Amino acid sequence: MKNHVCETFYFDEEKVNRIKQEVVVTEGLGRLFKALADETRIKIIYALSREELCVCDVAQIIDATVAAASHHLRLLKNLGLARSRKQGKMVFYSLNDDCIETIIDAALKHYKGEHGLRK
């Protein structure tokens, strides 16, 4: 049974052309969601949403080496999701803006609602 497929092929040319022009704004957005698809990076983003952390702090939080933490943080920085500042020999990271925190909070609320988990 193919209830999810139209029985005849027809499309609304005007609607399709209009929306085709609109969806171009999503180009490149896949990189953001690819970065967020990694559980470790989600943990890092969540931790950075709470406060600024040095690379060593992040490594301890995610139970990883400093090199692994640094790799994830560099990727997040290159995507514009995090920023860094150097203080002496230490490098501290924070979220680049509140938008990514909003995305994570919305995803958590959705997940908790869908799966009946406690807040």
Side-chain angles (χ1 to χ4, degrees), residues 55-101:
V55 178
C56 297
D57 293 334
V58 172
Q60 290 299 303
I61 290 167
I62 63 171
D63 293 321
T65 65
V66 171
S70 181
H71 169 78
H72 286 295
L73 289 162
R74 185 172 35 259
L75 187 134
L76 293 173
K77 183 179 176 183
N78 289 342
L79 288 171
L81 302 178
R83 65 177 171 253
S84 65
R85 70 175 182 85
K86 193 163 184 167
Q87 182 177 330
K89 294 183 178 186
M90 306 285 289
V91 179
F92 291 88
Y93 282 84
S94 58
L95 291 182
N96 203 25
D97 60 42
D98 294 337
C99 291
I100 192 66
E101 183 177 353

Side-chain angles (χ1 to χ4, degrees), residues 4-94:
H4 62 281
V5 178
C6 297
E7 292 182 23
T8 184
F9 184 78
Y10 166 81
F11 68 93
D12 184 326
E13 189 173 356
E14 178 191 338
K15 186 188 304 184
V16 168
N17 288 335
R18 180 176 37 84
I19 293 175
K20 245 182 160 176
Q21 292 175 359
E22 293 175 15
V23 298
V24 297
V25 301
T26 65
E27 289 178 8
L29 197 54
R31 289 191 323 262
L32 167 68
F33 285 102
K34 187 175 180 180
L36 296 177
D38 183 272
E39 292 282 340
T40 300
R41 286 191 289 270
I42 291 280
K43 288 177 184 176
I44 292 170
I45 290 169
Y46 185 84
L48 294 178
S49 75
R50 298 306 172 245
E51 63 184 274
E52 181 183 67
L53 298 166
C54 79
V55 178
C56 297
D57 293 334
V58 172
Q60 290 299 303
I61 290 167
I62 63 171
D63 293 321
T65 65
V66 171
S70 181
H71 169 78
H72 286 295
L73 289 162
R74 185 172 35 259
L75 187 134
L76 293 173
K77 183 179 176 183
N78 289 342
L79 288 171
L81 302 178
R83 65 177 171 253
S84 65
R85 70 175 182 85
K86 193 163 184 167
Q87 182 177 330
K89 294 183 178 186
M90 306 285 289
V91 179
F92 291 88
Y93 282 84
S94 58

